[in-house]
Structure formats: C-alpha cells, structure tokens
Amino acid sequence: MTKLTSNQIEHIAKLAKVDVSKKETGKFQDQLSKVLDYIDELNEVDTENTVPTSQTTGLENIKRSDEIDINNCLSQEDALSGTESTHNNYFKVPAVFEENK
Amino acid sequence: MNLPLTINTLHKDLKEKEYSLVELVDGYLSRIKLLDKDINSFITLSEDYAYFKAKEFDNSLKDLNEKAFEKYPLLGTVVAHKDLFLTKGIRTTASSKVLESYIPSYSATVVKKLEEAGSIIIGKTNCDAWAHGASGENSDFGSTKNPWNKEYVPGGSSSGSAASVASNFCMFSTGTDTGGSIRQPANLTGIVGFKPTYGAVSRYGIIAMASSLDSVGHFTRTVEDSRKVFNVTKGEDLKDSTLKNFVKKDLKKKFRIGLPKEYFIEGIDKEVSEEVRRCAKIFEKEGNEIVEISLPHTKYAISVYYIIQPAEVSSNLSRYDGIRFGNKRTSFGDEAKRRIMLGTYVLSAGYYDAYYLKAMKVRTKIIEDFDKVFKDVDAIIAPVSPTSAFKIGEKANDPLKMYLADIFTVAANIGGIPGIAIPSNFNRKGLPLGFQLIGPRFSEDTLFFLGEKFQEITNYEPKVA
C-alpha cells in the first residue's frame, strides 16, 4: 500500500501545479497507491509483439485549407469577455518577472 | 398540461395546436421549480433564452405550418445540456469551481446543430466536476439525486442530464461518455443513453476530459428519439479532425447477438445478470440468434482506462491556469487532483513505459478481441452497471471502488465503438434495470434497429419518476 512515498506525492503535485496540503498528502498517497496496485494486473498480459494504440479512428493528417473564415473568429471583445481584468484591450496578468530594485 | 414524453407526441400536439411552445416552456419550468430543488439536476436555467427561442419557433410554426417540421426536425424539443457543452452567453462550469463564472463566447458544434434543428435550451445540467465520476457526487455544486429514490445516486458523470430526462424536465438531454458517463446513468435512472462511435459526433466546444476516449451522445426516453437526435448531431464539422461521415449500409433482417461470458462474473448482482439474460431471450424469440462469445482482455479494461484516461486528463486540465478566464488551480476538487496527479505520474520519466505505453498496448489487445468477435456477431448484449443504483455516500470515500462502477462500459470507449443503454425493468426496490447493446464502429443503425424492435415488442411505455 505504500507504492508512492509522501515525497513523490509532493513532487507530482509540484509538476502538475496542484495544491496538496500536508494533511492531504497522506490521503492521496493511500488512495493513489491503491489504484496503482490494482492496475499492476496489466503486467500479466504478454504485449511483447503488440503495437500500442493511441487512437481508434484510423484517420491521419486531416487538414483543412488555410483560409480565414470570419465566422470562426472571435472579436477582441468576445475574446476578452471571460475576464474583468483588462488593460487597453489586453489581458492583465500577474507579472512573471520582478523588477530589480 | 401534459408534458409530452416523445418527439412524436410533441409534434402531434403542436400540429393539433394543443399548446404553444411558450406554454410548453412554462410547463417545463414550473415542473423544474417544483421538483428540482430535491434532485439538483440543473446548475443554470436559461429561462429568458428559452422563451426567446420558443417565441421564435412559435412564429415559424405560424408561418410555415406543416413545413416547419421539415425545416426543423427537432422543432420545439426542449433540451438540457450537460454543463460541459459550451453555450454562447450561458454560463458553463463543468460543475467545477474553477469555471464558476465562465460565460462562453461561442457554442459547441452539437449545441449549434441542435438549435438549428429546432431545439430549445432550457438549462445546463449538473455532473461530476470535469466529468470525473460515476455517481454525480464529485460535483462542486452539490450532488444530483436519483429521481426514483432520492437516497440513491443517479449515476455519473452525466448525472443531471440523466435525472432531468427521468424527471421529465426536458424532452432530451446531452452528455459525454468517456468511460460510461452516459450509459451508466441512463441505466441507473431507467432511460435510453446513447454513446456514438468515436468520430461520429463532433467534440468541438465541449470541455475535454480524455481526448482519445470522449464521445458525445444523449439521453432520451425511447430509442426512436435517440436515433432522431443522432441524425442531427452526427457528421463532419471541419473543426474536430477525428470526424468521419457516416456511411449507410443495408440492414439485415435477423441478427447474431453475442453474450460475452466475461461480463457475467462474480461481483455482478444476480438481478442485473438475470435481467440481461431475460432480454437476450426476447431477442431470441424474435428470430435473432444469441451466441456465447469471449472477450478475454475485457477484464483489463478498467486498468487500461485508469492509465490512459488520467494521462489525457492531466494534459487537458493543464490549460486551466486562471490567467485569462476562470479561477486559479487551487479551486480544483479532490477527484480532479487525484486524476491530474495519477496522469502526471504515469507520464513522468521512468514510469511512462511501465504504465502509459503498457496500457496503450493492452488497449490494442482489447480492440483485437472486439474485432475478432465482430467477425462472428453483429452486436453484443451486456449489462451496463454491475448493480442497480447505489446509495449516496456508499462509494464516495473509496475512489477505487467508484472506478470499478464502470467495469462493463469502459471497453467500448477503449475500442471507440458505439453502445446504447436501454431500460427494461425495475427491481424490488423500485430502481431501474436494463442492458446495453454494443456494436462495431459505425454500426449505430443496427443498434437503433435492435433497440427500437425491443421497445416495440415489449410495448415499452416511457415512465416518469
């Protein structure tokens, strides 16, 4: 039941950018280890000569002509409609870099 | 006013001028307001928009008379969309706090097509947040109750869509089925739930869960209505590149139907397996042949699914950064966090081969099983959920137990093949029972034909909870 260590949970949470509190770490460690234990049954299956499947349609390289269809475009107003924080018709986002003081 | 239960009845009523569409919308809304506070199938009601469209279609009826039904095959059908379907100007949350106040600036292809065919949007339905779940309990907006008995779950993830049709809050509703999220809740609420072939219906504008598995279907009360809705939603839209147009084939008169022995295993309730066998007998009596088949790798379907699906989930949910719209990632609930972390883990360096690549290979094995079987039979009859509806809270604290609720439905998603859940009975507790029909890719016509036949010979009358 300890397939995943608490360090691993913290590491995965950091990679995935999700918030996991100290208290939650133990819960997720237990729940996810149980799932990983279950899916270990796949090791019984001989897949030595099996090709992996990533999709089921059999379609490849589906393209459309590279033309602008005005009906498929969002106006600037529409594109910004999901946020209240705009500046001069741009998204206002938190700063990534800080100014050197 | 008697709210109609099928599209045929609705159209007959409209032709006889029994009521206007504005009155129909009145009827649904007063029923919803009276009953939905205990069921919680809706997150958002679009009252103003529903009346606006109702007036518009009432005018079309006046102007075009009978011709209106040719122009709008789904004229006046009141629809509830799963809150994963983007609806321009109507809040769309995916039942997650992350998108609590998100109002889309465009509509999903399916939403648009249905509207152009005459349907009226009444609201957006509750579901497990991001479609993660099999009971509706993972919604950030409170769980949906089973309308047949409010102590029980309606199934999930399309919990509100199923409950709203079972309660007659709408004529039909839409859903997504990534591992069983349409067929399982349809089964637990006693209605028809249809999952199309992967690549038959556009996913454009629908919040993605697992992109190689997601299919876009719907809930109705009869198989005939399911077919009518599919006739509108299917087909290429030049937006979703996985779509292929549907080729019509001549239908047989009698069919060979497979009964997979691996689906009648320990852990399945006796009343569920006996009901499926009883229904298989009904098909047999009609001159179809029932043969035992074997799908030996089907027992690995859940394991394959719980690697591929969270891997794709972790990738799809990475876009929700709260920068341009929506709330921050701290708003994700527990189930989304579990799946994001599980997916991140199986894709991470050192584990990719052991988990993700292995799962993709066993996926091939499961598909090969289906290919082999469909050389011999035209369709498969099988249970949908291993039990009838379970009690609220029964599986909520044990994710693995909840994941196993999809044991008979996930294989169809892994194979990209269609399935339809059909209600057939009630158990002693008054909870619905039924079965599913599964067929090869693009065999929808066969499934609809068999399903319609079943409802015809059993004199099926839709029931409202």
Side-chain angles (χ1 to χ4, degrees), chain A residues 27 31 41 44-45 51 53, chain B residues 300 303 334 338 358 364:
Chain A
K27 178 179 77 182
Q31 291 173 337
E41 66 170 3
E44 299 165 18
V45 188
V51 186
T53 297
Chain B
Y300 300 111
S303 292
D334 274 7
R338 273 191 285 274
K358 182 78 186 179
T364 307

Side-chain angles (χ1 to χ4, degrees), chain B residues 228-267:
Chain B
K228 283 182 180 166
V229 175
F230 179 59
N231 280 341
V232 170
T233 58
K234 70 184 178 187
E236 289 169 17
D237 68 346
L238 299 178
K239 286 172 180 154
D240 178 347
S241 63
T242 63
L243 292 180
K244 217 159 135 175
N245 276 340
F246 200 82
V247 191
K248 221 173 163 62
K249 285 182 223 130
D250 283 336
L251 271 191
K252 295 183 173 182
K253 288 261 154 29
K254 300 292 170 196
F255 296 86
R256 267 170 82 80
I257 305 172
L259 204 55
K261 62 177 186 199
E262 290 83 2
Y263 282 57
F264 296 87
I265 46 159
E266 231 178 293

Side-chain angles (χ1 to χ4, degrees), chain B residues 99-152:
Chain B
L99 296 180
E100 190 169 27
S101 51
Y102 172 60
I103 295 173
S105 42
Y106 68 100
S107 286
T109 294
V110 166
V111 169
K112 232 175 131 181
K113 279 184 163 184
L114 289 171
E115 209 158 55
E116 284 162 5
S119 73
I120 299 169
I121 304 172
I122 196 135
K124 306 298 294 291
T125 59
N126 203 354
C127 57
D128 288 294
W130 309 105
H132 299 167
S135 70
E137 291 164 291
N138 290 332
S139 168
D140 290 351
F141 293 82
S143 65
T144 307
K145 314 288 185 290
N146 192 317
W148 295 100
N149 185 331
K150 294 176 192 84
E151 285 172 29
Y152 289 79

Side-chain angles (χ1 to χ4, degrees), chain B residues 26 34 76 126 226 236 244 277 306 314 320 420 433 459 464:
Chain B
D26 275 340
L34 184 71
N126 203 354
S226 192
E236 289 169 17
K244 217 159 135 175
R277 288 185 194 282
Y306 274 96
S314 72
Y320 297 100
I420 187 165
L433 295 170
N459 294 316
V464 173

Side-chain angles (χ1 to χ4, degrees), chain B residues 137-176:
Chain B
E137 291 164 291
N138 290 332
S139 168
D140 290 351
F141 293 82
S143 65
T144 307
K145 314 288 185 290
N146 192 317
W148 295 100
N149 185 331
K150 294 176 192 84
E151 285 172 29
Y152 289 79
V153 304
S157 66
S158 312
S159 49
S161 286
S164 65
V165 170
S167 309
N168 203 14
F169 295 154
C170 53
M171 177 58 80
F172 74 99
S173 63
T174 55
T176 54

